[in-house]
Each structure stands twice: as structure tokens, then as C-alpha cells.
């Protein structure tokens, strides 16, 4: 998968423009996703020196991104491309602290990706509830 990851509030605690403390297991999880052959894109509002600082912070911890603030490494930025857009076009997943419901812990995020499970399924498992993957789907009124 191609996965976009926010920086402030997601990989590190939100202290923008400073770099906050690492969120527990964030870089370990990112390195595991890279080892699992996922393409990670750092997608952040940071630009210029602040962006360089974030990229270097990740690099110092062993996280190398496939691309930074673009869909693929060869994409030309706005200074060279009049039709350049900051809209993500090629991702399968976006990990961001502004998700509806907030950011799950990084262990849960990894399980969701690795095991192809929903957040709901993982929470049900933690409560000891049975998750039925093969349960027949209820027919909707238009399918009867």
C-alpha cells in the first residue's frame, strides 16, 4: 500500500513549529511498515526549513520516506509545474491525528494494516467479543 503519514500530532506530539516528543512506537511502526514493503509518504503542512527538520528527525531514527509532500519522488513541485496540486492522488491510506475519533495507538494502526482489520474488529477482540468475518450479510430492502 501507499500510506501518507502526517508529522505533527501523529509521529510526534503536536508542538508546531517545534518538534514534539515522539509518540509511543511511531517510528518503530513506520520502520515495520517500510520493512513490509509499504510506500510511506510524509504529508505535512511543514515547508522549507521546518520540513527539512522533520525529514531529518525521521531519518535520524531510521525512517526514510518514499516521497515527501508529493505523491511520488519524481513529481515536480509548484515552482516547476503550473498544474501542481497538494491533493493526494495515489494513496491507499492516510494516517493523521485529525481523523474522526482521533488517532489510534501505533500498535493498533499496525494491526489494522498488517491484518487488514477494522478498528472496530480490533476493539471487539480486546473486549473479548467474537468477531465474525464470515457472518452472512443482512439483505437490504432493495435486495429482497
Amino acid at each position: 500500500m501507499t500510506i501518507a503519514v502526517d508529522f505533527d500530532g501523529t509521529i510526534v506530539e503536536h508542538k508546531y513549529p517545534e518538534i514534539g516528543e515522539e509518540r509511543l512506537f511511531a517510528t518503530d511502526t513506520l520502520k515495520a511498515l517500510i520493512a513490509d514493503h509499504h510506500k510511506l509518504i510524509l504529508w505535512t503542512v511543514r515547508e522549507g526549513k521546518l520540513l527539512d527538520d522533520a525529514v531529518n528527525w525521521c531519518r535520524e531514527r531510521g525512517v526514510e520516506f518514499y516521497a515527501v509532500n508529493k505523491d511520488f519522488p519524481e513529481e515536480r513541485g509548484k515552482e516547476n509545474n503550473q498544474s501542481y496540486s497538494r491533493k493526494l492522488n495515489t494513496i491507499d491510506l492516510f494516517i493523521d491525528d485529525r481523523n474522526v475519533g482521533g488517532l489510534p495507538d501505533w500498535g493498533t494502526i499496525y494491526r489494522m494494516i498488517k491484518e487488514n482489520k477494522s478498528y472496530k474488529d480490533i476493539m471487539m477482540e480486546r473486549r473479548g467479543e467474537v468477531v465474525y468475518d464470515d457472518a452472512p450479510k443482512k439483505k437490504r430492502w432493495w435486495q429482497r
Side-chain angles (χ1 to χ4, degrees):
M1 290 193 325
T2 302
I3 303 168
V5 185
D6 179 40
F7 185 71
D8 295 289
T10 303
I11 297 174
V12 297
E13 297 294 329
H14 202 294
K15 301 284 185 191
Y16 182 86
E18 304 299 319
I19 294 179
E21 293 294 318
E22 178 181 355
R23 292 186 68 119
L24 192 60
F25 300 119
T27 57
D28 289 336
T29 303
L30 295 173
K31 289 188 283 189
L33 291 171
I34 292 168
D36 289 345
H37 305 289
H38 296 287
K39 293 178 183 176
L40 300 185
I41 297 173
L42 180 63
W43 195 258
T44 176
V45 299
R46 288 175 176 258
E47 294 179 322
K49 182 179 178 340
L50 295 176
L51 177 59
D52 293 341
D53 291 346
V55 170
N56 289 331
W57 185 95
C58 292
R59 186 173 287 134
E60 288 167 3
R61 286 152 182 84
V63 177
E64 285 286 340
F65 291 97
Y66 168 72
V68 176
N69 281 353
K70 43 185 147 179
D71 285 298
F72 48 90
E74 302 82 26
E75 184 178 30
R76 293 164 57 205
K78 60 185 170 192
E79 61 279 349
N80 297 323
N81 182 356
Q82 297 294 352
S83 62
Y84 175 76
S85 169
R86 282 288 315 264
K87 185 171 178 73
L88 287 164
N89 296 312
T90 62
I91 67 161
D92 299 302
L93 182 67
F94 188 27
I95 302 171
D96 190 305
D97 63 310
R98 304 293 173 126
N99 291 330
V100 174
L103 182 71
D105 65 82
W106 279 97
T108 300
I109 291 169
Y110 185 75
R111 284 193 63 203
M112 291 169 68
I113 296 167
K114 180 80 172 174
E115 300 171 18
N116 195 26
K117 291 188 175 186
S118 71
Y119 182 72
K120 179 181 175 183
D121 289 344
I122 292 171
M123 292 301 103
M124 288 176 66
E125 287 175 2
R126 285 185 182 166
R127 290 191 302 262
E129 299 175 24
V130 179
V131 178
Y132 295 101
D133 290 332
D134 300 331
K137 303 289 184 215
K138 182 177 177 182
K139 287 190 175 185
R140 307 286 189 233
W141 62 270
W142 65 84
Q143 294 172 322
R144 294 182 185 156

